Amino acid sequence: GAHRVYRDPEIIQLIDRIQNITLNAAEAGHDLLIPERTAQRYWKRFVDSKPYLPSTMGKSPGPPPTLQPIHTAFLQTYYDTKSDATLKEAQQSLVDKFKISITQRGLQKHLVNKCGLTMKKLERISEYRNSDETIALRINWAHTFESSGMDYYKCIFIDEAGFNMHIKRSFGRSKRGTPAKALVSKSHGVNMTIIGGITGEGVVNLSLRRPQAVVGSKKHKLRSGEEKVVGKIGTWAEHYIEFLEVLMGVLKENGIDGR
């Protein structure tokens, strides 16, 4: 009969059946009505990393890509240590290390497609947070409490968490060439705070509060001569003291001597 011309989807399906259904080339070819020898030939080209799709066979592979796996590994390590680096800085790092150059557009495509690196909003972390000095202090603190013989099951751990009902995402999606917009409330909302105390047996007390001005607030003089108190908004020591007073009352009601 006439020579059959295969299309890319047919060969992709052949390779997929061999890889995922654990068939050999002859069996996969039989299922797809592809002659045994033909199926084996396409599979061998795939295994040998040669062009195996009909649309690419017989064509010149073209020049090798500028960036090779060694450059991919370098860029991944580079952005692990300097996530805020610009494309221009990454370009220069490649020149300094490998004496090669690439356009910013080509570098961007490589970062996304080969390195798996995408643009995100930066999470700003203090450089002191994970410095050698801070880590040493944490280790010393842990060793001190580990050797103290304290029964942590009887301890009450206190912490706070803040939230705002009007928070909106900083990123969004829209059609290419158009800005991403989102409706937001004209009010910024109020920062709420939850203060809680827990033990090994469960929650001891929770406090949901809208922070108000506390003692020690500053006074500003208005044009009319009237003085206006400008409160310190946020969770301050005074709020913790108030929470501790309530917490001690809860312990006393349950016959527990807190200290």
Side-chain angles (χ1 to χ4, degrees), residues 107-119:
L107 177 58
Q108 171 64 18
K109 290 176 63 177
H110 188 84
L111 291 176
V112 174
N113 298 330
K114 300 298 183 180
C115 300
L117 300 173
T118 57
M119 183 69 73

Side-chain angles (χ1 to χ4, degrees), residues 119-121 168-183:
M119 183 69 73
K120 303 177 183 69
K121 185 175 181 179
K168 284 285 187 180
R169 294 184 61 191
S170 299
F171 290 94
R173 291 183 173 85
S174 64
K175 292 181 179 180
R176 182 176 298 175
T178 63
K181 300 179 181 180
L183 295 177

Side-chain angles (χ1 to χ4, degrees), residues 40-162:
Q40 291 172 341
R41 185 171 67 252
Y42 278 114
W43 173 245
K44 187 176 187 307
R45 294 187 68 86
F46 174 80
V47 173
D48 293 341
S49 299
K50 296 180 179 179
Y52 64 93
L53 294 177
S55 62
T56 60
M57 291 175 62
K59 294 184 178 180
S60 173
T66 303
L67 299 182
Q68 300 295 324
I70 187 175
H71 306 122
T72 300
F74 169 78
L75 288 168
Q76 289 172 328
T77 302
Y78 178 75
Y79 274 98
D80 280 343
T81 57
K82 193 177 180 181
S83 60
D84 60 344
T86 63
L87 289 176
K88 187 174 182 179
E89 290 173 331
Q91 275 182 310
Q92 188 59 46
S93 70
L94 289 171
V95 173
D96 296 340
K97 180 71 174 179
F98 302 102
K99 301 296 187 287
I100 62 172
S101 62
I102 186 173
T103 65
Q104 290 191 11
R105 181 178 180 181
L107 177 58
Q108 171 64 18
K109 290 176 63 177
H110 188 84
L111 291 176
V112 174
N113 298 330
K114 300 298 183 180
C115 300
L117 300 173
T118 57
M119 183 69 73
K120 303 177 183 69
K121 185 175 181 179
L122 283 173
E123 178 184 355
R124 300 182 183 277
I125 301 175
S126 170
E127 61 180 358
Y128 182 72
R129 177 175 174 177
N130 291 316
S131 65
D132 293 340
E133 180 184 355
T134 303
I135 292 174
L137 288 172
R138 290 174 187 157
I139 294 174
N140 292 336
W141 182 90
H143 287 165
T144 299
F145 279 86
E146 185 179 25
S147 60
S148 66
M150 182 179 296
D151 185 356
Y152 291 102
Y153 193 81
K154 296 181 180 179
C155 293
I156 298 176
F157 299 91
I158 300 173
D159 200 1
E160 67 162 328

Side-chain angles (χ1 to χ4, degrees), residues 213-214 216-220 227-232:
V214 296
S217 299
K218 297 181 180 179
K219 293 182 179 180
H220 286 187
E227 289 186 341
K228 178 181 179 181
V229 176
V230 180
K232 296 186 293 183

Side-chain angles (χ1 to χ4, degrees), residues 158-159 195-197 205-207 209 238-248:
I158 300 173
D159 200 1
I195 306 178
N205 187 39
L206 282 176
S207 172
R209 63 177 298 112
E238 291 85 347
H239 298 133
Y240 276 105
I241 293 173
E242 180 183 341
F243 174 79
L244 288 174
E245 291 174 348
V246 176
L247 179 63
M248 297 298 287

